Amino acid sequence: WFYQYVEKAYNFKIISGISEAEFIPDGAITRQDAAVILKRIFDSKGIEFTKLNIKFKDSDQISDYAKDAVDALSSGGIIKGFDDNTFKGNNKITRAEAAQLIYNAIK
């Protein structure tokens, strides 16, 4: 049921699988992966953010491929860190966090 949606998002370069041949649709994604996906959507719409080089205590643990997205979205107030000034980019994103992320993106 999801193939056409995955294919379209893949063709628009919004998402990718774990390889060129495997997507794992039932797999969870991390907070940093969610940031990358959302940033790609904003990019596809021509929406840019002024990057403020926000640093989290655990910025060194954010994967290189996600650093730009996390910085842009956190600078734009779309994604936030935790009260202890960490981002926890490798944590799986919860439904509540995903809902907050979507809400922040559309407001």
Side-chain angles (χ1 to χ4, degrees):
W1 67 265
F2 56 82
Y3 179 81
Q4 67 181 346
Y5 306 112
V6 171
E7 180 182 40
K8 286 181 183 185
Y10 177 81
N11 289 337
F12 281 113
K13 299 186 183 340
I14 293 170
I15 61 169
S16 60
I18 62 163
S19 72
E20 289 186 30
E22 193 172 13
F23 182 70
I24 306 184
D26 294 325
I29 64 170
T30 63
R31 289 174 43 81
Q32 66 186 6
D33 290 339
V36 169
I37 291 168
L38 189 56
K39 172 77 167 47
R40 288 176 182 164
I41 293 169
F42 281 119
D43 289 347
S44 75
K45 301 292 183 188
I47 299 169
E48 296 181 18
F49 296 93
T50 302
K51 294 180 196 143
L52 303 175
N53 293 320
I54 293 175
K55 298 291 182 195
F56 294 103
K57 282 186 196 176
D58 60 349
S59 289
D60 61 327
Q61 295 175 24
I62 299 170
S63 296
D64 288 342
Y65 73 86
K67 288 183 187 282
D68 182 62
V70 170
D71 184 39
L73 295 184
S74 60
S75 295
I78 305 295
I79 199 166
K80 297 176 171 65
F82 292 89
D83 290 339
D84 63 354
N85 194 36
T86 59
F87 183 70
K88 300 178 184 172
N90 290 309
N91 283 14
K92 304 296 184 220
I93 191 166
T94 66
R95 287 174 170 250
E97 290 170 327
Q100 181 71 56
L101 188 62
I102 293 165
Y103 173 79
N104 291 347
I106 60 175
K107 71 175 182 171

